[in-house]
Amino acid sequence: MSLNCSLWQDNSLFVKRFAFAKFSEVTEQCSLLFTLILLMFLASLTGNALIALAIWTNPVLHTPMYFFLANLSLLEIGYTCSVIPKMLQSLVSEARGISREGCATQMFFFTLFAISECCLLAAMAFDRYMAICSPLHYATRMSRGVCAHLAVVSWGVGCMVGLGQTNYIFSLDFCGPCEIDHFFCDLPPILALACGDTSHNEVAVFVVAILCISSPFLLIIASYGRILASVLVMPSPEGRRKALSTCSSHLLVVTLFYGSGSVTYLRPKASHSPGVDKLLALFYTVVTSMLNPIIYSLRNKEVKAALRRTLGRRKVLNHG
């Protein structure tokens, strides 16, 4: 059901407020979806916060691989918090409006965390490549300074892309309709509401997707190609098993994140469907963020041990 844009304008020619479309006209469906998404959101926050805390408080995990994993957990927390709270409100309330400034802020932070995660996943793949293919030089080439630099670059690229894309899109005029056929201020649905020719903006979004999604993904593929070649010539079956085990969690996370992101931002505009886009967005904003801590903790003995120690210390403090 479309909203009357006059409700969201301040007596001017241009839209000053937007409103998110309803998920469903059936109250029971919205309530069920609210409950499911809230549970996944809480699981994601708890899991990622525990992993970051476990890595921070356990010196044995102060290595490049876990430094990047802690950064990934922080990105996931920011990623979900930039989108999910407003979506939960829209599911159970008629207050589905968002100001133009609020929408721009949400778009900036979502883009910042998403692009930073793309770059950080590539840095994590490079770290595994150095550890397995160049173990003798690993300590010097992946020093604390190098790891910090890679993390800062990842966050910096996300910030620059977020600022650039948000400023470019919100420099356009929006003259109605004002209903966003999505559950957050993502780039394609906001562009669909702009007045006039948006072809240049659409090209900019596609170019950024190519550079910030495809380029890191190709770097990841190249890194794991070299890793696989090195693993296949290892004389020890135990060495091969350990090398593949340390990479499998990261590969699974990469597949989930890049798979859903690529389908969303790299497929032709004509093939976009609001229903499919919403399902994909739910997957990469809620489901993957919830699954990442599970994947890393279940498949990594050191993370599981660190989590047990961290939770054990908290129980002691609570009983003390």
Side-chain angles (χ1 to χ4, degrees), residues 4-19 98-101 170 172-180 193 195:
N4 185 349
C5 279
S6 63
L7 297 174
W8 307 96
Q9 298 180 138
D10 296 335
N11 297 319
S12 68
L13 294 175
F14 301 109
V15 173
K16 300 297 183 182
R17 287 182 67 82
F18 299 99
I98 185 169
S99 68
R100 182 176 174 132
E101 294 77 15
F170 280 89
L172 297 169
D173 292 323
F174 298 90
C175 46
C178 62
E179 187 176 77
I180 303 169
L193 301 179
C195 307

Side-chain angles (χ1 to χ4, degrees), residues 114-149:
I115 298 299
S116 297
E117 185 163 339
C118 287
C119 297
L120 191 72
L121 288 172
M124 293 173 76
F126 179 71
D127 170 66
R128 292 299 81 209
Y129 161 73
M130 292 301 301
I132 293 171
C133 299
S134 188
L136 297 179
H137 303 287
Y138 179 69
T140 54
R141 292 183 180 176
M142 294 302 294
S143 65
R144 182 174 296 183
V146 171
C147 293
H149 181 74

Side-chain angles (χ1 to χ4, degrees), residues 62-76:
H62 291 177
T63 64
M65 181 173 74
Y66 295 113
F67 169 76
F68 290 128
L69 179 55
N71 271 269
L72 180 65
S73 293
L74 293 176
L75 283 171
E76 293 287 6

Side-chain angles (χ1 to χ4, degrees), residues 18-19 55 59-60 105 140 154 162 167 206 209-210 213 222 231 242 255 260 277 279 283 287 302 315:
F18 299 99
I55 292 171
V60 70
T105 301
T140 54
S154 298
N167 183 65
F206 186 76
I210 290 289
I213 296 179
V231 168
K242 186 176 180 181
T255 302
S260 54
D277 288 348
L279 286 175
F283 188 79
V287 179
E302 291 177 322
K315 288 180 181 177

Side-chain angles (χ1 to χ4, degrees), residues 107 110-111 115 161-162 164-170 172 185-192 198-214 261-262 264-267 269 272 284:
M107 180 182 289
F110 171 77
T111 307
I115 298 299
V161 172
Q165 288 284 54
T166 303
N167 183 65
Y168 196 29
I169 288 175
F170 280 89
L172 297 169
C185 294
D186 201 4
L187 281 71
I190 296 298
L191 270 178
T198 61
S199 58
H200 293 298
N201 301 82
E202 290 166 8
V203 169
V205 171
F206 186 76
V207 168
V208 167
I210 290 289
L211 293 175
C212 297
I213 296 179
S214 298
S262 298
T264 301
Y265 296 104
L266 293 177
R267 76 183 194 272
K269 182 183 176 182
H272 278 256
Y284 64 73

Side-chain angles (χ1 to χ4, degrees), residues 10-295:
D10 296 335
N11 297 319
S12 68
L13 294 175
F14 301 109
V15 173
K16 300 297 183 182
R17 287 182 67 82
F18 299 99
F20 296 110
K22 268 192 171 183
F23 275 83
S24 172
E25 295 295 334
V26 182
T27 304
E28 290 76 13
Q29 290 181 357
C30 289
S31 299
L32 176 60
L33 197 56
F34 173 86
T35 303
L36 291 174
I37 293 174
L38 177 62
L39 290 174
M40 288 191 287
F41 176 56
L42 293 175
S44 173
L45 286 182
T46 304
N48 282 296
L50 281 174
I51 284 183
L53 182 64
I55 292 171
W56 180 263
T57 57
N58 287 272
V60 70
L61 298 184
H62 291 177
T63 64
M65 181 173 74
Y66 295 113
F67 169 76
F68 290 128
L69 179 55
N71 271 269
L72 180 65
S73 293
L74 293 176
L75 283 171
E76 293 287 6
I77 291 171
Y79 192 59
T80 53
C81 287
S82 67
V83 172
I84 305 305
K86 185 64 180 177
M87 178 179 64
L88 291 172
Q89 180 191 16
S90 300
L91 279 169
V92 294
S93 168
E94 289 300 319
R96 292 178 285 115
I98 185 169
S99 68
R100 182 176 174 132
E101 294 77 15
C103 192
T105 301
Q106 188 184 62
M107 180 182 289
F108 164 70
F109 281 108
F110 171 77
T111 307
L112 184 160
F113 293 124
I115 298 299
S116 297
E117 185 163 339
C118 287
C119 297
L120 191 72
L121 288 172
M124 293 173 76
F126 179 71
D127 170 66
R128 292 299 81 209
Y129 161 73
M130 292 301 301
I132 293 171
C133 299
S134 188
L136 297 179
H137 303 287
Y138 179 69
T140 54
R141 292 183 180 176
M142 294 302 294
S143 65
R144 182 174 296 183
V146 171
C147 293
H149 181 74
L150 288 172
V152 168
V153 168
S154 298
W155 286 81
V157 169
C159 186
M160 287 189 293
V161 172
L163 281 173
Q165 288 284 54
T166 303
N167 183 65
Y168 196 29
I169 288 175
F170 280 89
S171 64
L172 297 169
D173 292 323
F174 298 90
C175 46
C178 62
E179 187 176 77
I180 303 169
D181 198 4
H182 209 41
F183 61 82
F184 70 98
C185 294
D186 201 4
L187 281 71
I190 296 298
L191 270 178
L193 301 179
C195 307
D197 182 20
T198 61
S199 58
H200 293 298
N201 301 82
E202 290 166 8
V203 169
V205 171
F206 186 76
V207 168
V208 167
I210 290 289
L211 293 175
C212 297
I213 296 179
S214 298
S215 298
F217 183 68
L218 290 174
L219 179 59
I220 292 169
I221 294 298
S223 297
Y224 278 102
R226 294 291 301 273
I227 288 171
L228 182 60
S230 297
V231 168
L232 290 176
V233 298
M234 285 182 177
S236 166
E238 179 64 21
R240 288 197 297 269
R241 187 199 62 77
K242 186 176 180 181
L244 290 174
S245 176
T246 60
C247 297
S248 58
S249 299
H250 184 243
L251 272 175
L252 186 53
V253 169
V254 166
T255 302
L256 292 171
F257 183 77
Y258 277 97
S260 54
S262 298
V263 172
T264 301
Y265 296 104
L266 293 177
R267 76 183 194 272
K269 182 183 176 182
S271 65
H272 278 256
S273 160
V276 173
D277 288 348
K278 288 177 187 177
L279 286 175
L280 286 169
L282 275 174
F283 188 79
Y284 64 73
T285 56
V286 184
V287 179
T288 58
S289 296
M290 179 192 68
L291 290 177
N292 286 356
I294 298 172
I295 292 168

